[in-house]
Amino acid sequence: RTLQTLPNGEVGISIKKGDVFPLGTLLGLADTGLDEFGGMDETLRTRGLILVVHIIYDNRPKHFLGLQVTPWHTPRPFYTYRVTTRTSYDFQKTKTFDDPREDERSTRTYNGIRLVVEQSGKIAIFEIATFLVTMTTALGLMAVSNTLTDMIMLYVLQHKDRYKKHKFHQTKDFNPEEEEDPQTPAKPETKEEAAERFIEAIEGQDVEGLLHCFPHTLELLGKKDS
């Protein structure tokens, strides 16, 4: 269907108070015409019709919505027109021009087009209250998931002893009390025990422990397995 245009060739113009469309353009967008019957015995020009202009607002970007809607920036809204017809028998208005006290009265019936404007849409804006609720909920869920993961890892899984050893690392006492006598650790008896102490001393940056276990580690590694 060919749309009616303005003298400048456009289907509409935008002014300060809003957009302006010719009536023929709205009829074309609704895919109808005044000389059509619309399933009735009379044409729409004779009995009138109802045009519904839907204005749909939106400012949501297609991708990365959370990165583009911030406290400092809100995307500009845009709107879309959608014109449809609404089913009705007729749209008319009757006026009386004579004095009701007279025996005869003149009436005039107007059949025309009724315009109904409906607005809807979704506008995305940043709200600090919603942000705080979402952030605190996410932090709470992260804390719960971390606790559940630790409990399953340390008390349920097959290698829980190994996980516990790697999760908690014991370092040397960086502030020992003066009256306490330093205790010399016992000599390791196996290569595995010597290797574990050697690794613990390196990870804990314990120089004294490393110097103590290093000779025993070399001694046990030099022995042949019986």
Side-chain angles (χ1 to χ4, degrees):
R1 186 182 298 271
T2 304
L3 297 179
Q4 180 180 346
T5 59
L6 296 172
N8 60 359
E10 301 291 338
V11 296
I13 59 174
S14 178
I15 60 177
K16 186 176 182 180
K17 293 185 177 180
D19 299 333
V20 179
F21 295 97
L23 184 58
T25 301
L26 298 179
L27 291 172
L29 293 174
D31 194 20
T32 188
L34 294 178
D35 295 327
E36 297 182 1
F37 289 90
M40 300 294 179
D41 297 334
E42 297 177 334
T43 62
L44 298 177
R45 187 185 301 275
T46 302
R47 61 184 182 86
L49 78 155
I50 298 177
L51 282 179
V52 182
V53 180
H54 305 268
I55 306 177
I56 305 172
Y57 296 90
D58 199 354
N59 75 328
R60 299 173 301 168
K62 295 182 178 180
H63 306 288
F64 305 105
L65 175 62
L67 298 178
Q68 300 189 41
V69 181
T70 63
W72 306 277
H73 176 262
T74 300
R76 295 187 61 182
F78 59 91
Y79 51 91
T80 305
Y81 288 102
R82 185 166 59 90
V83 185
T84 59
T85 58
R86 182 165 297 176
T87 303
S88 62
Y89 179 73
D90 56 15
F91 177 69
Q92 57 183 226
K93 184 176 182 180
T94 303
K95 284 188 177 182
T96 303
F97 293 92
D98 297 326
D99 192 341
R101 294 175 297 179
E102 297 181 0
D103 296 336
E104 295 182 358
R105 288 182 293 175
S106 300
T107 60
R108 182 173 294 180
T109 302
Y110 298 91
N111 295 309
I113 299 175
R114 179 185 179 188
L115 287 177
V116 179
V117 180
E118 296 181 352
Q119 301 184 57
S120 63
K122 296 180 180 179
I123 301 297
I125 60 174
F126 185 88
E127 292 187 357
I128 187 64
T130 304
F131 170 75
L132 292 177
V133 171
T134 304
M135 184 182 66
T136 52
T137 303
L139 292 177
L141 292 176
M142 290 178 60
V144 172
S145 61
N146 187 31
T147 302
L148 291 177
T149 303
D150 288 346
M151 293 179 63
I152 294 174
M153 180 181 66
L154 299 177
Y155 303 104
V156 178
L157 296 182
Q158 180 180 2
H159 302 289
K160 56 185 178 181
D161 295 334
R162 184 178 302 176
Y163 297 149
K164 185 181 298 184
K165 178 180 178 181
H166 288 283
K167 179 176 175 60
F168 302 105
H169 180 70
Q170 184 176 2
T171 63
K172 69 174 184 178
D173 190 358
F174 292 98
N175 189 21
E177 297 182 2
E178 296 180 358
E179 57 271 11
E180 291 185 356
D181 297 331
Q183 297 181 358
T184 302
K187 181 180 179 180
E189 298 180 357
T190 62
K191 293 181 180 180
E192 290 77 8
E193 184 179 356
E196 289 180 358
R197 290 188 181 182
F198 186 75
I199 294 174
E200 290 178 357
I202 294 177
E203 292 179 349
Q205 299 180 359
D206 186 0
V207 179
E208 296 179 359
L210 183 61
L211 293 175
H212 180 268
C213 68
F214 186 71
H216 303 300
T217 303
L218 293 178
E219 180 182 355
L220 291 174
L221 291 177
K223 292 183 179 180
K224 296 182 178 180
D225 296 335
S226 57

